[in-house]
Amino acid sequence: MDWSRFLLRVVETASSVARGRPDPGMVDGDTESWLVALAIAFVSAVSGMVAHAGFLAINRVQGRRLVAAAVLAFAQLLVALAFQGVVLWLCLLPLGEVMPVGTIVRVVLLSTAPLWWGAIAIAPYVGPLVGRVLWAWTLIALVGQLGVLLPWERRWQIVLVVAVAWLAARLAAALVDPPVQWVRRRVWRSVMGAPMVLSIDEQLVREAPVAVAQKLAPPGRDLGHRVAR
Amino acid sequence: MIEGLVLVVLGTAALAWLVSPVESLVWWERRGAREMEAAAQEYLAAMDEPGDASRTPRTFLVYLSGIAAFDDNLIARAESLLLRRLQEGVPELTILHEIYPYAVDNRGLIDDRRSGRFWRWFAGWQGHKRFAALFNLVVNIRNVYQVMVSVDPRYGPVFSAGIAQTIWRQVRDAGYAPQDRIVLLGWSGGAQIGAGAAWYLGAAGAHVTFLSMGGIFHADPGLERCERIIHLVGTRDWQARWFAPLVFPGRRRWVKRSSWNRALAEGRATQRFIGPFKHVGRGSYLSGKRLPGGESCFAVTVAALVEELTAESR
């Protein structure tokens, strides 16, 4: 494989998708198109990892564990995007548009191109807002991509379908979140050899003075003011 | 060429903003978590000390400077004078000011740090008028980024833990005992730093009062752990009066469930307008400008602070 040509194609495709200029050739079903779509999603996952440097720091992830964390992040993103693709495919059926589910999943993977900027979410205070803007941008990119597959006269139906599919995917994800988190923690623990800590709050619950003091102090001991959260 | 220079400057500023949480995260990852565990043991041991029942509780004033600060050992002349006047006005106070509020491990910009060389070189140019203004601007921007780190829910707990540990060590070295009181006096951005640290100090059982002088702070969870919150502000200080609620939604009146508004409702927090002061410059809190009544802004500010601190010391 000509890697330099492949990498150039990945960059050009991501750039086109992010700028809202989809290339009809992007939705071909050949192997290279799949690899391009997966490569775009992988870079998005890595960029997202940079944004979550805080999470990695509190879990003290370094070296090989960092590589494993990148792979896990990519796998998690793939599962989420594939799920979103399937939901979108189901939502397209009532419109009378029957196309291979793989095509829709590939389009969803391509639409993550704006998340290449996801590393900006590491910035303090404003970063999470930037992250939400980028996710909104991926939905716009998804609408643009679907515009290649479907007649442009149906663009408002496309927007509606994307919105409904996104809501449905979020609702379904919320319903299956507990077992997913359980699996995620188990996989993390077996790969990393240590429990997963999802937030600084969670870490501080374990190690903050109040938590340690509560563990060690006699029952009923007044240790200060009421806890905020 | 000018456009290129502007791009370079903006790009550098953006990059500095992006990497501003790194210092806190690296500290936490290398030492912070372990130091927290050790600090917890110290807190418990301190609370278990029998204490001297006949001893009058002391009040420790911890001063957290504004965003122009660049070292823990160097303090602006006006602020140094302020602290001297406060000590004269409330002799029983123990004042601690060797805290650099904008670094998680109390290292000033010109201290032993990777960028220390650059900052020492830059600080050396303060004697030149043009560069002094540029130096102040760069330091202010750098410190504003750290205030944003303190406010960010992802990084704030880590940052505040480091600050609280610094404060804890200094008050303990100064003879703090569990029945004593800690007053965190924050000016401008220093107020937010104090609010964050209050969470840990209060959690350790300390009696904490948060005293803001033109403070710009958000509805930090740390405010929940303060026995008293006093926000002294000038009527012409638009940064503290309008800008803070604009960028920190929890400070808006209609966000009833925020720590700030809950404290106001409970009567733990008060906001006082102490004079027609601006945030910075001529006519600001520590300015020598004369008010219509004949007193200087500085004297009025000192009087307001002494009044509050005297009440705290009783």
Side-chain angles (χ1 to χ4, degrees):
Chain A
M1 188 183 208
D2 184 351
W3 285 105
S4 55
R5 191 188 63 79
F6 172 74
L7 288 173
L8 187 63
R9 188 180 167 191
V10 168
V11 172
E12 282 175 349
T13 305
S15 174
S16 298
V17 169
R19 282 181 296 141
R21 291 178 196 168
D23 178 355
M26 287 182 231
V27 296
D28 290 341
D30 61 330
T31 307
E32 189 169 306
S33 296
W34 268 108
L35 289 174
V36 167
L38 287 168
I40 289 173
F42 179 73
V43 174
S44 301
V46 170
S47 187
M49 269 186 60
V50 173
H52 290 99
F55 165 74
L56 296 171
I58 63 174
N59 282 283
R60 290 176 236 171
V61 179
Q62 296 173 337
R64 277 181 295 183
R65 291 171 72 207
L66 189 61
V67 173
V71 171
L72 275 175
F74 178 50
Q76 187 181 327
L77 182 66
L78 269 188
V79 167
L81 292 175
F83 179 73
Q84 188 179 342
V86 169
V87 171
L88 180 58
W89 177 77
L90 288 171
C91 289
L92 282 170
L93 292 178
L95 292 186
E97 302 293 341
V98 182
M99 55 190 82
V101 65
T103 302
I104 301 301
V105 170
R106 205 163 50 251
V107 162
V108 172
L109 291 174
L110 288 171
S111 69
T112 62
L115 297 181
W116 281 26
W117 294 99
I120 295 176
I122 193 178
Y125 197 55
V126 181
L129 176 63
V130 170
R132 283 194 281 274
V133 168
L134 290 175
W135 274 103
W137 190 357
T138 65
L139 292 180
I140 295 169
L142 182 55
V143 169
Q145 290 288 292
L146 287 175
V148 170
L149 295 171
L150 301 170
W152 187 237
E153 296 78 42
R154 308 186 78 175
R155 58 187 177 278
W156 292 114
Q157 288 179 334
I158 296 171
V159 170
L160 186 62
V161 163
V162 167
V164 168
W166 177 78
L167 280 170
R170 295 280 297 210
L171 185 62
L175 289 172
V176 303
D177 191 54
V180 166
Q181 290 304 325
W182 182 84
V183 169
R184 195 178 166 203
R185 285 180 187 271
R186 288 295 296 262
V187 170
W188 179 277
R189 189 168 191 138
S190 56
V191 170
M192 299 294 176
M196 181 188 208
V197 176
L198 283 172
S199 69
I200 287 177
D201 282 353
E202 205 173 297
Q203 182 76 352
L204 291 174
V205 162
R206 294 182 191 189
E207 296 184 16
V210 65
V212 175
Q214 281 168 349
K215 263 191 285 182
L216 301 177
R221 170 79 177 274
D222 179 15
L223 294 168
H225 314 292
R226 60 190 170 87
V227 177
R229 47 190 168 184
Chain B
M1 171 150 170
I2 298 291
E3 292 90 357
L5 193 61
V6 167
L7 274 173
V8 166
V9 166
L10 289 176
T12 307
L15 186 62
W17 176 49
L18 289 176
V19 302
S20 56
V22 172
E23 184 179 314
S24 300
L25 295 176
V26 168
W27 171 81
W28 175 262
E29 193 255 332
R30 287 186 184 164
R31 307 184 344 232
R34 282 194 309 277
E35 288 182 7
M36 286 279 284
E37 181 84 29
Q41 301 293 342
E42 257 190 64
Y43 296 157
L44 264 187
M47 283 191 287
D48 282 337
E49 284 169 6
D52 182 0
S54 61
R55 174 180 170 282
T56 310
R58 292 168 66 186
T59 302
F60 291 82
L61 177 71
V62 178
Y63 179 65
L64 301 163
S65 187
I67 57 172
F70 63 93
D71 190 57
D72 52 322
N73 290 317
L74 295 172
I75 191 168
R77 238 177 298 158
E79 295 172 68
S80 178
L81 186 60
L82 169 72
L83 296 179
R84 275 211 300 277
R85 292 289 178 266
L86 292 180
Q87 186 74 88
E88 290 165 9
V90 192
E92 55 271 30
L93 268 185
T94 302
I95 298 180
L96 305 166
H97 60 80
E98 288 183 7
I99 292 166
Y100 183 60
Y102 307 102
V104 66
D105 52 2
N106 202 33
R107 278 184 305 169
L109 297 183
I110 59 176
D111 282 347
D112 178 29
R113 51 165 68 226
R114 282 212 182 114
S115 56
R117 216 180 202 181
F118 161 74
W119 289 110
R120 284 189 292 275
W121 168 80
F122 203 175
W125 285 89
Q126 283 187 92
H128 302 256
K129 241 184 186 171
R130 274 185 220 164
F131 288 106
L134 180 63
F135 176 76
N136 287 333
L137 177 65
V138 172
V139 168
N140 281 6
I141 291 172
R142 185 259 173 211
N143 289 341
V144 163
Y145 292 160
Q146 293 303 310
V147 171
M148 292 165 79
V149 169
S150 170
V151 171
D152 191 305
R154 299 169 296 172
Y155 315 125
V158 169
F159 184 87
S160 297
I163 299 293
Q165 282 189 38
T166 300
I167 294 172
W168 173 254
R169 265 186 247 115
Q170 293 209 6
V171 295
R172 284 290 287 170
D173 288 346
Y176 172 83
Q179 68 264 41
D180 296 335
R181 176 169 296 284
I182 298 175
V183 177
L184 301 173
L185 171 58
W187 180 27
S188 185
Q192 167 55 37
I193 308 302
W199 195 90
Y200 294 95
L201 297 171
H207 301 282
V208 178
T209 295
F210 174 71
L211 178 54
S212 149
M213 179 177 72
I216 297 175
F217 57 95
H218 97 113
D220 197 285
L223 296 181
E224 299 276 8
R225 296 186 180 273
C226 299
E227 288 186 350
R228 276 191 74 204
I229 300 162
I230 306 145
H231 181 39
L232 303 178
V233 64
T235 53
R236 296 169 63 205
D237 183 353
W238 63 266
Q239 289 94 325
R241 288 188 70 185
W242 309 116
F243 182 70
L246 183 67
V247 296
F248 303 133
R251 292 283 309 281
R252 297 171 195 169
R253 269 174 299 174
W254 53 86
V255 184
K256 297 293 182 195
R257 293 177 62 188
S258 74
S259 59
W260 168 249
N261 286 313
R262 274 208 301 267
L264 283 172
E266 291 167 9
R268 278 188 300 122
T270 52
Q271 178 173 289
R272 263 180 65 197
F273 293 104
I274 57 173
F277 306 139
K278 297 193 300 186
H279 195 71
V280 289
R282 187 165 163 71
S284 64
Y285 300 88
L286 303 184
S287 159
K289 181 184 170 187
R290 297 278 161 192
L291 296 170
E295 280 188 304
S296 67
C297 300
F298 179 86
V300 172
T301 301
V302 168
L305 287 170
V306 165
E307 183 186 336
E308 298 294 345
L309 290 169
T310 303
E312 287 300 311
S313 301
R314 287 205 198 104

mmCIF file of all heavy atoms in Angstrom, chain B residues 4 52 68 71 90-91 99 102 114 119 133 137 153 165 173 186 203 225 236 244-245 249 263 273 290-291 293 308:
data_model
loop_
_atom_site.group_PDB
_atom_site.id
_atom_site.type_symbol
_atom_site.label_atom_id
_atom_site.label_comp_id
_atom_site.label_asym_id
_atom_site.label_seq_id
_atom_site.Cartn_x
_atom_site.Cartn_y
_atom_site.Cartn_z
ATOM 1 N N GLY B 4 1.897 38.829 10.287
ATOM 2 C CA GLY B 4 2.611 37.622 10.727
ATOM 3 C C GLY B 4 2.910 37.667 12.204
ATOM 4 O O GLY B 4 2.740 36.669 12.922
ATOM 5 N N ASP B 52 -5.222 23.569 73.667
ATOM 6 C CA ASP B 52 -5.157 24.286 74.945
ATOM 7 C C ASP B 52 -6.463 25.061 75.090
ATOM 8 O O ASP B 52 -6.712 26.042 74.400
ATOM 9 C CB ASP B 52 -3.948 25.229 74.910
ATOM 10 C CG ASP B 52 -3.784 25.977 76.213
ATOM 11 O OD1 ASP B 52 -4.611 25.769 77.146
ATOM 12 O OD2 ASP B 52 -2.836 26.778 76.323
ATOM 13 N N ALA B 68 -1.721 40.092 38.749
ATOM 14 C CA ALA B 68 -0.448 40.683 38.342
ATOM 15 C C ALA B 68 0.729 40.049 39.085
ATOM 16 O O ALA B 68 1.878 40.318 38.770
ATOM 17 C CB ALA B 68 -0.464 42.189 38.603
ATOM 18 N N ASP B 71 5.378 36.109 41.741
ATOM 19 C CA ASP B 71 6.270 35.373 42.635
ATOM 20 C C ASP B 71 5.669 35.364 44.034
ATOM 21 O O ASP B 71 4.984 36.318 44.433
ATOM 22 C CB ASP B 71 7.660 36.012 42.657
ATOM 23 C CG ASP B 71 8.669 35.146 43.381
ATOM 24 O OD1 ASP B 71 8.845 33.980 42.972
ATOM 25 O OD2 ASP B 71 9.254 35.607 44.368
ATOM 26 N N VAL B 90 -5.396 45.389 63.118
ATOM 27 C CA VAL B 90 -5.848 44.193 63.847
ATOM 28 C C VAL B 90 -4.586 43.469 64.317
ATOM 29 O O VAL B 90 -4.136 42.505 63.682
ATOM 30 C CB VAL B 90 -6.708 43.276 62.950
ATOM 31 C CG1 VAL B 90 -7.419 42.211 63.784
ATOM 32 C CG2 VAL B 90 -7.712 44.069 62.150
ATOM 33 N N PRO B 91 -3.975 43.902 65.424
ATOM 34 C CA PRO B 91 -2.680 43.364 65.833
ATOM 35 C C PRO B 91 -2.688 41.859 66.108
ATOM 36 O O PRO B 91 -1.662 41.199 65.960
ATOM 37 C CB PRO B 91 -2.356 44.137 67.123
ATOM 38 C CG PRO B 91 -3.227 45.341 67.090
ATOM 39 C CD PRO B 91 -4.451 44.965 66.330
ATOM 40 N N ILE B 99 2.418 33.187 49.393
ATOM 41 C CA ILE B 99 1.725 32.170 48.602
ATOM 42 C C ILE B 99 1.545 32.710 47.193
ATOM 43 O O ILE B 99 1.066 33.832 47.016
ATOM 44 C CB ILE B 99 0.348 31.838 49.212
ATOM 45 C CG1 ILE B 99 0.538 31.136 50.540
ATOM 46 C CG2 ILE B 99 -0.478 30.964 48.270
ATOM 47 C CD1 ILE B 99 -0.698 31.067 51.378
ATOM 48 N N TYR B 102 -1.157 31.308 41.716
ATOM 49 C CA TYR B 102 -1.396 30.875 40.338
ATOM 50 C C TYR B 102 -0.488 29.732 39.923
ATOM 51 O O TYR B 102 -0.178 29.547 38.752
ATOM 52 C CB TYR B 102 -1.287 32.081 39.389
ATOM 53 C CG TYR B 102 -2.182 33.195 39.860
ATOM 54 C CD1 TYR B 102 -1.658 34.293 40.540
ATOM 55 C CD2 TYR B 102 -3.563 33.116 39.697
ATOM 56 C CE1 TYR B 102 -2.496 35.280 41.038
ATOM 57 C CE2 TYR B 102 -4.403 34.104 40.181
ATOM 58 C CZ TYR B 102 -3.862 35.177 40.852
ATOM 59 O OH TYR B 102 -4.696 36.153 41.338
ATOM 60 N N ARG B 114 10.644 25.042 34.604
ATOM 61 C CA ARG B 114 11.223 24.931 33.257
ATOM 62 C C ARG B 114 11.253 26.277 32.543
ATOM 63 O O ARG B 114 12.192 26.590 31.834
ATOM 64 C CB ARG B 114 10.418 23.928 32.429
ATOM 65 C CG ARG B 114 10.721 22.515 32.762
ATOM 66 C CD ARG B 114 10.598 21.599 31.559
ATOM 67 N NE ARG B 114 10.876 20.239 32.019
ATOM 68 C CZ ARG B 114 9.987 19.251 32.038
ATOM 69 N NH1 ARG B 114 8.775 19.444 31.622
ATOM 70 N NH2 ARG B 114 10.327 18.067 32.487
ATOM 71 N N TRP B 119 11.136 33.653 32.308
ATOM 72 C CA TRP B 119 10.465 34.650 33.145
ATOM 73 C C TRP B 119 11.467 35.556 33.858
ATOM 74 O O TRP B 119 11.221 36.755 34.008
ATOM 75 C CB TRP B 119 9.559 33.964 34.172
ATOM 76 C CG TRP B 119 8.330 33.347 33.574
ATOM 77 C CD1 TRP B 119 8.051 32.017 33.451
ATOM 78 C CD2 TRP B 119 7.213 34.034 32.999
ATOM 79 N NE1 TRP B 119 6.844 31.835 32.839
ATOM 80 C CE2 TRP B 119 6.303 33.050 32.556
ATOM 81 C CE3 TRP B 119 6.887 35.373 32.807
ATOM 82 C CZ2 TRP B 119 5.097 33.364 31.948
ATOM 83 C CZ3 TRP B 119 5.690 35.693 32.207
ATOM 84 C CH2 TRP B 119 4.809 34.694 31.782
ATOM 85 N N ALA B 133 5.023 47.314 30.776
ATOM 86 C CA ALA B 133 3.604 47.129 30.456
ATOM 87 C C ALA B 133 3.393 45.783 29.769
ATOM 88 O O ALA B 133 2.419 45.071 30.052
ATOM 89 C CB ALA B 133 3.119 48.268 29.559
ATOM 90 N N LEU B 137 1.235 42.581 31.103
ATOM 91 C CA LEU B 137 0.177 42.000 30.282
ATOM 92 C C LEU B 137 0.345 40.493 30.162
ATOM 93 O O LEU B 137 -0.611 39.721 30.337
ATOM 94 C CB LEU B 137 0.189 42.644 28.892
ATOM 95 C CG LEU B 137 -0.826 42.091 27.884
ATOM 96 C CD1 LEU B 137 -2.256 42.372 28.337
ATOM 97 C CD2 LEU B 137 -0.592 42.682 26.484
ATOM 98 N N PRO B 153 -14.320 22.430 36.155
ATOM 99 C CA PRO B 153 -14.620 21.305 37.050
ATOM 100 C C PRO B 153 -13.722 20.093 36.835
ATOM 101 O O PRO B 153 -13.635 19.220 37.703
ATOM 102 C CB PRO B 153 -16.083 20.965 36.717
ATOM 103 C CG PRO B 153 -16.344 21.583 35.404
ATOM 104 C CD PRO B 153 -15.449 22.756 35.282
ATOM 105 N N GLN B 165 -3.029 22.705 50.063
ATOM 106 C CA GLN B 165 -1.896 22.101 50.769
ATOM 107 C C GLN B 165 -0.856 23.154 51.112
ATOM 108 O O GLN B 165 -0.261 23.129 52.194
ATOM 109 C CB GLN B 165 -1.252 21.014 49.913
ATOM 110 C CG GLN B 165 -2.030 19.726 49.920
ATOM 111 C CD GLN B 165 -1.266 18.614 49.258
ATOM 112 O OE1 GLN B 165 -0.056 18.514 49.408
ATOM 113 N NE2 GLN B 165 -1.953 17.789 48.510
ATOM 114 N N ASP B 173 2.744 25.832 60.045
ATOM 115 C CA ASP B 173 4.070 26.325 60.449
ATOM 116 C C ASP B 173 3.955 27.572 61.304
ATOM 117 O O ASP B 173 4.829 27.857 62.128
ATOM 118 C CB ASP B 173 4.927 26.639 59.208
ATOM 119 C CG ASP B 173 5.376 25.378 58.492
ATOM 120 O OD1 ASP B 173 5.267 24.282 59.088
ATOM 121 O OD2 ASP B 173 5.822 25.482 57.331
ATOM 122 N N GLY B 186 -8.811 37.358 49.219
ATOM 123 C CA GLY B 186 -8.436 37.278 47.804
ATOM 124 C C GLY B 186 -8.764 38.567 47.091
ATOM 125 O O GLY B 186 -9.852 39.110 47.242
ATOM 126 N N ALA B 203 -13.094 21.126 54.653
ATOM 127 C CA ALA B 203 -13.274 19.683 54.794
ATOM 128 C C ALA B 203 -12.364 19.123 55.881
ATOM 129 O O ALA B 203 -12.663 18.086 56.472
ATOM 130 C CB ALA B 203 -12.979 18.984 53.471
ATOM 131 N N ARG B 225 -18.180 25.477 52.041
ATOM 132 C CA ARG B 225 -17.417 25.132 53.253
ATOM 133 C C ARG B 225 -16.917 26.351 54.004
ATOM 134 O O ARG B 225 -16.115 26.212 54.923
ATOM 135 C CB ARG B 225 -16.252 24.231 52.874
ATOM 136 C CG ARG B 225 -16.720 22.906 52.323
ATOM 137 C CD ARG B 225 -15.572 21.961 52.080
ATOM 138 N NE ARG B 225 -16.061 20.710 51.547
ATOM 139 C CZ ARG B 225 -16.477 19.697 52.291
ATOM 140 N NH1 ARG B 225 -16.447 19.786 53.595
ATOM 141 N NH2 ARG B 225 -16.926 18.599 51.725
ATOM 142 N N ARG B 236 -17.751 51.222 41.058
ATOM 143 C CA ARG B 236 -17.307 51.396 39.678
ATOM 144 C C ARG B 236 -16.449 50.229 39.189
ATOM 145 O O ARG B 236 -15.812 50.307 38.142
ATOM 146 C CB ARG B 236 -16.532 52.716 39.555
ATOM 147 C CG ARG B 236 -17.398 53.946 39.831
ATOM 148 C CD ARG B 236 -16.551 55.204 39.972
ATOM 149 N NE ARG B 236 -15.857 55.503 38.724
ATOM 150 C CZ ARG B 236 -14.721 56.200 38.641
ATOM 151 N NH1 ARG B 236 -14.144 56.661 39.733
ATOM 152 N NH2 ARG B 236 -14.163 56.456 37.475
ATOM 153 N N ALA B 244 -17.950 39.240 36.276
ATOM 154 C CA ALA B 244 -17.941 37.946 36.959
ATOM 155 C C ALA B 244 -19.269 37.205 36.770
ATOM 156 O O ALA B 244 -19.275 36.028 36.383
ATOM 157 C CB ALA B 244 -17.602 38.122 38.435
ATOM 158 N N PRO B 245 -20.434 37.832 37.033
ATOM 159 C CA PRO B 245 -21.696 37.110 36.790
ATOM 160 C C PRO B 245 -21.906 36.759 35.322
ATOM 161 O O PRO B 245 -22.587 35.786 35.003
ATOM 162 C CB PRO B 245 -22.773 38.101 37.258
ATOM 163 C CG PRO B 245 -22.077 39.013 38.205
ATOM 164 C CD PRO B 245 -20.679 39.129 37.681
ATOM 165 N N PRO B 249 -21.966 31.727 35.389
ATOM 166 C CA PRO B 249 -23.429 31.711 35.529
ATOM 167 C C PRO B 249 -23.913 31.515 36.962
ATOM 168 O O PRO B 249 -24.963 32.030 37.331
ATOM 169 C CB PRO B 249 -23.850 30.535 34.635
ATOM 170 C CG PRO B 249 -22.755 30.389 33.645
ATOM 171 C CD PRO B 249 -21.504 30.766 34.365
ATOM 172 N N ALA B 263 -25.598 30.597 49.712
ATOM 173 C CA ALA B 263 -24.936 31.256 50.843
ATOM 174 C C ALA B 263 -25.610 32.589 51.146
ATOM 175 O O ALA B 263 -25.774 32.959 52.317
ATOM 176 C CB ALA B 263 -23.456 31.459 50.531
ATOM 177 N N PHE B 273 -20.824 47.336 49.135
ATOM 178 C CA PHE B 273 -20.172 48.347 48.298
ATOM 179 C C PHE B 273 -19.429 49.298 49.229
ATOM 180 O O PHE B 273 -20.039 49.944 50.077
ATOM 181 C CB PHE B 273 -21.204 49.092 47.461
ATOM 182 C CG PHE B 273 -21.859 48.215 46.439
ATOM 183 C CD1 PHE B 273 -23.152 47.748 46.633
ATOM 184 C CD2 PHE B 273 -21.178 47.821 45.298
ATOM 185 C CE1 PHE B 273 -23.756 46.920 45.696
ATOM 186 C CE2 PHE B 273 -21.765 46.981 44.373
ATOM 187 C CZ PHE B 273 -23.062 46.535 44.566
ATOM 188 N N ARG B 290 -7.814 60.749 46.098
ATOM 189 C CA ARG B 290 -8.673 61.283 47.158
ATOM 190 C C ARG B 290 -10.124 61.247 46.735
ATOM 191 O O ARG B 290 -10.478 61.606 45.624
ATOM 192 C CB ARG B 290 -8.295 62.732 47.463
ATOM 193 C CG ARG B 290 -6.892 62.920 47.999
ATOM 194 C CD ARG B 290 -6.820 62.653 49.488
ATOM 195 N NE ARG B 290 -5.449 62.406 49.909
ATOM 196 C CZ ARG B 290 -5.126 61.915 51.100
ATOM 197 N NH1 ARG B 290 -6.067 61.618 51.985
ATOM 198 N NH2 ARG B 290 -3.877 61.719 51.421
ATOM 199 N N LEU B 291 -10.976 60.812 47.653
ATOM 200 C CA LEU B 291 -12.416 60.809 47.413
ATOM 201 C C LEU B 291 -12.987 62.155 47.851
ATOM 202 O O LEU B 291 -12.301 62.915 48.561
ATOM 203 C CB LEU B 291 -13.058 59.664 48.209
ATOM 204 C CG LEU B 291 -12.613 58.257 47.791
ATOM 205 C CD1 LEU B 291 -13.092 57.217 48.777
ATOM 206 C CD2 LEU B 291 -13.123 57.943 46.391
ATOM 207 N N GLY B 293 -14.810 62.978 50.190
ATOM 208 C CA GLY B 293 -14.770 63.173 51.642
ATOM 209 C C GLY B 293 -13.380 63.488 52.170
ATOM 210 O O GLY B 293 -13.215 63.803 53.360
ATOM 211 N N GLU B 308 -14.065 44.253 58.993
ATOM 212 C CA GLU B 308 -14.441 42.845 58.832
ATOM 213 C C GLU B 308 -13.510 41.920 59.614
ATOM 214 O O GLU B 308 -13.961 40.963 60.243
ATOM 215 C CB GLU B 308 -14.447 42.458 57.342
ATOM 216 C CG GLU B 308 -15.445 43.208 56.489
ATOM 217 C CD GLU B 308 -16.897 42.907 56.851
ATOM 218 O OE1 GLU B 308 -17.147 41.909 57.571
ATOM 219 O OE2 GLU B 308 -17.775 43.666 56.401
#
